Amino acid sequence: MSERFRLTLAQLNPTVGAIDANAEAARAAHDEARAAGADLIAFPEMFITGYQTQDLVKKPALVNAAMAKLEELAALTVDGPAIAIGGPYAYAEALYNGYWILEDGAVKVVLRKHHLPNFNVFDEKRLFAEGPVEGPYAIKGMRIGSPICEDAWHEDVAEAQVESGAEILLVPNGSPYFRNKFDIRLTHMVSRVTENDVPLVYLNMVGGQDDQVFDGGSFVLNRHGKPAQIMPVFDEAIAHVDFVKSDGRWVAEDGDVAHHPDEWEQDYRAMVESLRDYLRKTGFGKVLLGLSGGIDSAIVATIAVDAIGAENVRCVMLPSEYTSQGSLDDAKDIATRLGCHYDFVPIKAGRDAITETLAPLFEGREADVTEENVQSRLRGLLLMAMSNKFGEMLLTTGNKSEVAVGYATIYGDMNGGYNPIKDLYKTRVFEQCRWRNANHRDWMMGPEGEVIPVSIIDKPPSAELRPDQKDEDSLPPYEVLDAILEGLVDREESVADLAAAGFDRATVKRVEHLLYISEYKRFQSAPGTRLTQAAFWLDRRYPIANRWRDES
């Protein structure tokens, strides 16, 4: 009779700091694993505290509470499967990113992460000590090696564990989404499999945490890198993997292989899930936003409705004398199509009062951007007043192009608690709207069909703060602007690189200047969904006071 081993994978959504709730989720998953006859249930990296904790994990009280809870969970293994679960580990005056192995009612061993990522959104070298290269552990006759997340992106840890007797590799992860990341993960893990000639299990978490979204997509690889099982992206899921020992070696039996959608669907799902979880994890159930009749507020309203339902979204039109009839009609139209609450709050009376108050101070001076910004800041004041009164989080609606060059008013339209399109360039906003109009999925709470009027997508973008204003009065066409920004921001290219690629050097220099002088605005901006490796916040950290300019 062949040997068999059932491994349960818990691709779940922990909440940072919610130790008791995370433990309860682990208990429920353990019950399911026990009922399925599993030998071991595995959870992702740092599951008990949630991930990323950032400096919260430097609190000894948090670490102590997490470790005590993990020791408490060990009692589940007396009459049920063993548990492998991520959590902090304080040992000999050092703090480690640990992977706790619980069996027979006790803590069997705690593995310590060796390679600490210190790039992009990760700062683990400031938080944790570097652990040794750990050996394998044995559960029910199977010897398992567990490189922890970053450990598996390097050759040495997996190689050492297999050389020490590991028969499979179980890799717990807290790996956040960026566009097209799954293929990168898969390529690295296939390398570990082919180097070591053992099966590999890649287990990721799901859910939003501030700007980051963990997209799941856990998978199992047999020798030669052949997928035996692939779990869905973004969804919480429990999966059972059956290993059979054949000719002295473990092989994973084939299971479900989930279809992963294209980058447009995954980006949109990331924005929906990050907003949904940000609200849930910060205690908000409702949102509001200024609905201008433009494309940015239109897609944010749609994301919000898909995230939490139309009954929980308030859209507010705050017109001035510069608001076109087309924008008035479009704003009302999309609110009706989405089915959300719509308020109409003209700003003329408030603007007149402010103009009158400032008139003695501004006497003899020409009207300029100051008066335009008064409109934006008055709208921001009114929206924040409604947010306070109704207990609804204000969403801000600036796309990455505008955030990059500062084409937004601080303390005005930048007001808000979250911005789901913060990492989405304007040209992608247009295409993302077209994608949403053409597609509907079960995870969307909004209606299907053409929810964003084509008139919004087709009309030239405008802030409508002065007569006949168009964005291109102040900025290059978005096709040009975004291409330059992708070079300067996403690829860190030089002015000379972009000029050599055919862009007008003066235009590139102007965009570079706007990018640098707007850093102070981004420093005070709301968090928003990370879609790329060059998102504004932890991925890209520039000084506010900066006199350097690229003269290449």
Side-chain angles (χ1 to χ4, degrees):
M1 184 176 179
S2 60
E3 294 181 64
R4 300 183 67 86
F5 187 98
R6 172 163 280 194
L7 170 64
T8 296
L9 302 180
Q11 180 178 285
L12 300 179
N13 180 358
T15 298
V16 166
I19 293 172
D20 288 343
N22 296 338
E24 282 307 306
R27 288 177 192 276
H30 188 267
D31 287 345
E32 194 168 333
R34 180 194 291 112
D39 298 293
L40 170 67
I41 179 169
F43 295 89
E45 177 182 18
M46 291 293 286
F47 184 83
I48 198 66
T49 57
Y51 191 71
Q52 293 191 66
T53 59
Q54 298 181 286
D55 284 5
L56 182 63
V57 80
K58 295 167 76 172
K59 288 282 187 187
L62 175 107
V63 173
N64 292 339
M67 291 177 62
K69 187 61 67 173
L70 289 167
E71 291 173 355
E72 182 182 308
L73 287 176
L76 298 175
T77 64
V78 171
D79 60 352
I83 296 173
I85 185 169
Y89 180 49
Y91 176 74
E93 299 185 0
L95 179 62
Y96 298 94
N97 180 329
Y99 201 54
W100 293 60
I101 311 304
L102 316 177
E103 187 183 32
D104 296 331
V107 177
K108 183 184 184 78
V109 66
V110 182
L111 309 177
R112 291 163 285 178
K113 192 172 184 177
H114 178 64
H115 290 289
L116 302 176
N118 217 59
F119 54 86
N120 292 119
V121 297
F122 300 105
D123 283 309
E124 290 204 1
K125 288 188 177 180
R126 98 185 232 112
L127 303 175
F128 299 112
E130 182 182 290
V133 176
E134 306 274 13
Y137 52 95
I139 303 289
K140 299 286 180 69
M142 176 185 277
R143 292 181 62 79
I144 304 169
S146 283
I148 302 170
C149 199
E150 184 70 17
D151 288 342
W153 292 64
H154 302 264
E155 297 177 6
D156 55 345
V157 176
E159 180 181 300
Q161 291 179 345
V162 173
E163 287 179 350
S164 300
E167 298 171 291
I168 75 162
L169 296 171
L170 167 61
V171 184
N173 294 269
S175 180
Y177 174 81
F178 60 74
R179 193 175 297 136
N180 298 318
K181 190 174 185 180
F182 179 80
D183 288 343
I184 298 172
R185 293 177 185 136
L186 188 62
T187 298
H188 278 274
M189 295 309 109
V190 167
S191 295
R192 300 296 85 81
V193 169
T194 56
E195 289 158 3
N196 297 287
D197 197 30
V198 295
L200 182 146
V201 178
Y202 181 99
L203 173 61
N204 197 18
M205 62 178 62
V206 294
Q209 173 56 35
D210 296 344
D211 63 319
Q212 294 161 52
V213 190
F214 298 91
D215 55 320
S218 305
F219 55 86
V220 181
L221 302 175
N222 273 316
R223 289 177 188 80
H224 311 298
K226 182 180 183 295
Q229 191 158 331
I230 300 178
M231 296 176 70
V233 287
F234 297 105
D235 292 324
E236 285 195 301
I238 302 287
H240 308 293
V241 185
D242 289 317
F243 287 89
V244 178
K245 205 163 197 179
S246 176
D247 298 325
R249 311 187 78 178
W250 292 103
V251 178
E253 294 185 336
D254 288 342
D256 293 335
V257 174
H259 166 72
H260 288 183
D262 65 19
E263 65 180 58
W264 294 100
E265 179 168 341
Q266 291 201 43
D267 271 8
Y268 191 80
R269 180 81 185 268
M271 291 184 285
V272 168
E273 295 298 337
S274 65
L275 176 59
R276 181 182 287 157
D277 263 2
Y278 189 77
L279 294 169
R280 180 176 64 85
K281 293 177 180 181
T282 56
F284 282 85
K286 294 177 179 287
V287 300
L288 78 155
L289 68 147
L291 193 63
S292 68
I295 195 165
D296 297 323
S297 61
I299 193 171
V300 170
T302 307
I303 290 167
V305 169
D306 281 338
I308 58 174
E311 69 277 12
N312 296 311
V313 179
R314 178 189 302 267
C315 293
V316 187
M317 162 54 87
L318 301 114
S320 75
E321 66 269 35
Y322 305 122
T323 304
S324 68
Q325 187 61 47
S327 292
L328 293 170
D329 295 341
D330 287 339
K332 177 66 173 174
D333 188 10
I334 186 172
T336 301
R337 294 185 189 207
L338 290 172
C340 48
H341 183 90
Y342 178 76
D343 287 322
F344 186 81
V345 184
I347 67 169
K348 184 180 185 305
R351 183 166 176 248
D352 288 347
I354 293 169
T355 300
E356 182 180 344
T357 300
L358 292 172
L361 299 173
F362 289 177
E363 187 176 0
R365 296 176 181 266
E366 292 293 324
D368 55 18
V369 71
T370 305
E371 284 73 18
E372 294 179 20
N373 287 343
V374 164
Q375 297 172 63
S376 181
R377 291 188 174 120
L378 177 55
R379 289 183 173 114
L381 182 151
L382 295 170
L383 289 167
M384 281 306 304
M386 287 181 256
S387 174
N388 291 160
K389 184 62 68 175
F390 303 136
E392 299 166 353
M393 181 182 287
L394 174 61
L395 301 181
T396 185
T397 61
N399 61 71
K400 189 173 185 177
S401 311
E402 296 173 351
V403 171
V405 297
Y407 195 64
T409 304
I410 196 166
Y411 320 125
D413 56 326
M414 288 180 66
N415 281 5
Y418 203 74
N419 180 2
I421 65 169
K422 187 177 182 179
D423 200 24
L424 197 66
Y425 284 118
K426 185 78 168 193
T427 48
R428 291 190 73 96
V429 170
F430 287 105
E431 200 57 43
Q432 199 72 73
C433 287
R434 295 185 183 99
W435 179 89
R436 175 57 179 86
N437 276 351
N439 295 275
H440 191 269
R441 301 289 183 263
D442 291 344
W443 45 264
M444 299 174 181
M445 298 183 71
E448 60 183 318
E450 193 177 89
V451 291
I452 301 172
V454 173
S455 54
I456 291 178
I457 300 172
D458 288 346
K459 70 182 173 185
S462 172
E464 295 191 326
L465 297 174
R466 61 176 184 267
D468 301 317
Q469 183 182 18
K470 299 290 183 291
D471 287 4
E472 289 187 15
D473 299 340
S474 305
L475 299 171
Y478 280 112
E479 293 79 6
V480 175
L481 176 62
D482 287 357
I484 292 172
L485 288 171
E486 286 174 4
L488 294 175
V489 175
D490 296 59
R491 298 189 297 272
E492 295 290 2
E493 291 176 347
S494 67
V495 170
D497 291 334
L498 290 164
F503 294 99
D504 175 66
R505 190 178 189 280
T507 303
V508 176
K509 286 294 295 177
R510 179 165 164 251
V511 172
E512 178 207 36
H513 176 68
L514 292 171
L515 178 66
Y516 284 145
I517 66 170
S518 302
E519 199 63 47
Y520 80 101
K521 291 186 179 181
R522 289 189 288 275
F523 192 79
Q524 299 179 63
S525 66
T529 313
R530 176 186 189 247
L531 301 173
T532 70
Q533 295 187 77
F536 292 125
W537 193 25
L538 296 177
D539 281 301
R540 186 182 183 279
R541 311 176 204 188
Y542 270 64
I544 297 172
N546 167 25
R547 296 293 294 274
W548 184 83
R549 297 295 183 269
D550 181 0
E551 300 302 332
S552 65

Short mmCIF file of all heavy atoms in Angstrom, two decimals, residues 488 493-503 505 508-509 550-552:
data_model
loop_
_atom_site.label_atom_id
_atom_site.label_comp_id
_atom_site.label_asym_id
_atom_site.label_seq_id
_atom_site.Cartn_x
_atom_site.Cartn_y
_atom_site.Cartn_z
N LEU A 488 10.34 58.16 -16.48
CA LEU A 488 10.95 58.82 -15.33
C LEU A 488 10.66 58.11 -14.01
O LEU A 488 11.53 58.02 -13.14
CB LEU A 488 10.46 60.27 -15.24
CG LEU A 488 10.88 61.23 -16.36
CD1 LEU A 488 10.19 62.58 -16.17
CD2 LEU A 488 12.40 61.40 -16.37
N GLU A 493 14.41 56.27 -15.92
CA GLU A 493 15.22 56.65 -17.07
C GLU A 493 15.65 58.11 -16.96
O GLU A 493 15.02 58.92 -16.26
CB GLU A 493 14.45 56.42 -18.37
CG GLU A 493 14.23 54.95 -18.67
CD GLU A 493 13.39 54.71 -19.90
OE1 GLU A 493 12.76 55.65 -20.41
OE2 GLU A 493 13.34 53.54 -20.36
N SER A 494 16.70 58.44 -17.67
CA SER A 494 17.22 59.81 -17.66
C SER A 494 16.51 60.66 -18.71
O SER A 494 15.82 60.14 -19.60
CB SER A 494 18.72 59.80 -17.95
OG SER A 494 18.97 59.38 -19.28
N VAL A 495 16.70 61.97 -18.59
CA VAL A 495 16.18 62.88 -19.61
C VAL A 495 16.77 62.52 -20.97
O VAL A 495 16.08 62.51 -21.99
CB VAL A 495 16.49 64.34 -19.22
CG1 VAL A 495 16.17 65.28 -20.37
CG2 VAL A 495 15.70 64.73 -17.97
N ALA A 496 18.06 62.21 -20.98
CA ALA A 496 18.72 61.85 -22.23
C ALA A 496 18.12 60.58 -22.83
O ALA A 496 17.95 60.47 -24.05
CB ALA A 496 20.22 61.67 -22.00
N ASP A 497 17.80 59.60 -21.99
CA ASP A 497 17.18 58.37 -22.48
C ASP A 497 15.88 58.67 -23.20
O ASP A 497 15.60 58.13 -24.29
CB ASP A 497 16.89 57.41 -21.32
CG ASP A 497 18.14 56.84 -20.68
OD1 ASP A 497 19.17 56.75 -21.36
OD2 ASP A 497 18.07 56.48 -19.48
N LEU A 498 15.06 59.52 -22.60
CA LEU A 498 13.75 59.82 -23.17
C LEU A 498 13.87 60.69 -24.43
O LEU A 498 13.12 60.51 -25.39
CB LEU A 498 12.87 60.49 -22.12
CG LEU A 498 12.43 59.54 -21.00
CD1 LEU A 498 11.90 60.30 -19.80
CD2 LEU A 498 11.37 58.57 -21.50
N ALA A 499 14.83 61.61 -24.41
CA ALA A 499 15.06 62.42 -25.62
C ALA A 499 15.52 61.53 -26.77
O ALA A 499 15.08 61.68 -27.91
CB ALA A 499 16.08 63.51 -25.33
N ALA A 500 16.39 60.55 -26.45
CA ALA A 500 16.87 59.63 -27.48
C ALA A 500 15.74 58.76 -28.00
O ALA A 500 15.79 58.29 -29.15
CB ALA A 500 17.99 58.76 -26.92
N ALA A 501 14.72 58.53 -27.18
CA ALA A 501 13.57 57.72 -27.60
C ALA A 501 12.59 58.52 -28.45
O ALA A 501 11.58 57.97 -28.90
CB ALA A 501 12.85 57.16 -26.37
N GLY A 502 12.86 59.84 -28.63
CA GLY A 502 12.04 60.64 -29.53
C GLY A 502 11.18 61.69 -28.86
O GLY A 502 10.46 62.42 -29.56
N PHE A 503 11.23 61.81 -27.55
CA PHE A 503 10.43 62.82 -26.88
C PHE A 503 11.14 64.17 -26.91
O PHE A 503 12.37 64.25 -26.84
CB PHE A 503 10.17 62.42 -25.42
CG PHE A 503 9.31 61.19 -25.28
CD1 PHE A 503 9.87 59.95 -25.04
CD2 PHE A 503 7.93 61.28 -25.42
CE1 PHE A 503 9.09 58.82 -24.93
CE2 PHE A 503 7.13 60.16 -25.30
CZ PHE A 503 7.71 58.92 -25.06
N ARG A 505 12.85 67.25 -25.70
CA ARG A 505 13.61 67.37 -24.46
C ARG A 505 13.01 68.43 -23.52
O ARG A 505 12.96 68.23 -22.30
CB ARG A 505 15.07 67.73 -24.76
CG ARG A 505 15.98 67.64 -23.54
CD ARG A 505 17.44 67.94 -23.86
NE ARG A 505 18.30 67.65 -22.72
CZ ARG A 505 18.45 68.45 -21.67
NH1 ARG A 505 17.79 69.60 -21.64
NH2 ARG A 505 19.22 68.09 -20.66
N VAL A 508 10.12 66.88 -21.72
CA VAL A 508 10.60 65.96 -20.68
C VAL A 508 11.09 66.73 -19.47
O VAL A 508 10.79 66.37 -18.32
CB VAL A 508 11.71 65.04 -21.24
CG1 VAL A 508 12.27 64.16 -20.12
CG2 VAL A 508 11.18 64.18 -22.37
N LYS A 509 11.86 67.79 -19.70
CA LYS A 509 12.38 68.60 -18.58
C LYS A 509 11.23 69.24 -17.78
O LYS A 509 11.30 69.31 -16.55
CB LYS A 509 13.31 69.68 -19.11
CG LYS A 509 14.67 69.17 -19.57
CD LYS A 509 15.50 68.63 -18.41
CE LYS A 509 15.86 69.73 -17.42
NZ LYS A 509 16.61 69.19 -16.26
N ASP A 550 18.11 66.59 -13.66
CA ASP A 550 18.90 65.81 -14.61
C ASP A 550 19.23 66.68 -15.82
O ASP A 550 18.34 67.05 -16.59
CB ASP A 550 18.09 64.58 -15.02
CG ASP A 550 18.82 63.68 -16.00
OD1 ASP A 550 19.98 64.00 -16.36
OD2 ASP A 550 18.24 62.65 -16.40
N GLU A 551 20.50 66.99 -16.00
CA GLU A 551 20.92 67.82 -17.13
C GLU A 551 21.52 67.00 -18.26
O GLU A 551 22.21 67.54 -19.13
CB GLU A 551 21.92 68.88 -16.65
CG GLU A 551 21.39 69.82 -15.59
CD GLU A 551 20.14 70.58 -16.03
OE1 GLU A 551 19.99 70.80 -17.25
OE2 GLU A 551 19.33 70.93 -15.17
N SER A 552 21.31 65.69 -18.23
CA SER A 552 21.88 64.83 -19.28
C SER A 552 21.23 65.09 -20.63
O SER A 552 20.14 65.61 -20.71
CB SER A 552 21.71 63.36 -18.90
OG SER A 552 20.33 63.01 -18.84
#
